[in-house]
Amino acid sequence: MAEPDRGYTRWRLILPVLAVPVLVLGFLTAGLFVWALSDEGDPRAGALKKVTCAEALAFGGASAPAHAQVGNCTMQQGIDTAYTAVLRMPREDVRGWLRETYPKAPEARSDASCGALCLDVSHEDGLPATAGAHVVQVRVEYVNAETARMRFSAFTM
């Protein structure tokens, strides 16, 4: 009767013992790379933060309209930065404020997809150089015959 190959028997015992640490080290290394490349370092990143409306408007190169009632103003920061402001103002002052704030921008448009008035401004078409934002979007809804609600968004891309 032939004896089994002794080298084969030894490797059958040694390979599983060596494979376990190699696999564990491989998983730990892969996990370390995934963790290092992820942007989940701060659990608060991306959360909405209340800010002053002056700060939110200034990020978009604007200041508060003269007769506006400021509402909720927030900032959200992650890969990009986004400020929002909700204001109420006299309906008759909206177009004048938009023209005064963004004189080089195209005229505000009125269509059913965006409310009573819409304005989208970027650095290419009239956003002031002082603005920290890359794009500003203004959406206006008429509350009643005298009042308009303006939603102002300024963000980077």
Side-chain angles (χ1 to χ4, degrees):
M1 202 189 281
E3 283 187 37
D5 186 16
R6 287 184 175 249
Y8 180 73
T9 307
R10 278 189 225 136
W11 282 110
R12 188 182 298 174
L13 296 174
I14 293 173
L15 281 178
V17 172
L18 290 176
V20 170
V22 169
L23 288 174
V24 169
L25 185 61
F27 282 120
L28 288 175
T29 303
L32 180 66
F33 277 107
V34 169
W35 174 76
L37 296 175
S38 72
D39 59 350
E40 297 177 19
D42 185 2
R44 296 168 295 170
L48 282 178
K49 179 176 127 182
K50 286 192 179 248
V51 295
T52 64
C53 287
E55 179 183 343
L57 292 167
F59 188 70
S63 59
H67 303 291
Q69 297 173 330
V70 294
N72 189 20
C73 297
T74 60
M75 187 263 289
Q76 186 173 19
Q77 197 164 20
I79 294 173
D80 299 318
T81 302
Y83 282 86
T84 60
V86 178
L87 308 168
R88 284 179 169 255
M89 61 187 295
R91 186 172 166 171
E92 62 194 25
D93 295 346
V94 173
R95 284 188 186 269
W97 180 81
L98 289 173
R99 280 189 208 110
E100 180 182 311
T101 303
Y102 302 112
K104 296 179 183 175
E107 189 67 27
R109 66 185 190 284
S110 179
D111 59 44
S113 68
C114 68
L117 282 177
C118 304
L119 180 65
D120 297 322
V121 186
S122 66
H123 283 291
E124 290 82 31
D125 56 5
L127 195 61
T130 59
H134 297 147
V135 176
V136 170
Q137 293 179 333
V138 179
R139 302 295 182 256
V140 179
E141 301 167 355
Y142 296 141
V143 177
N144 55 36
E146 294 88 28
T147 307
R149 180 184 306 118
M150 180 175 61
R151 297 179 192 279
F152 177 92
S153 300
F155 50 92
T156 59
M157 296 187 346

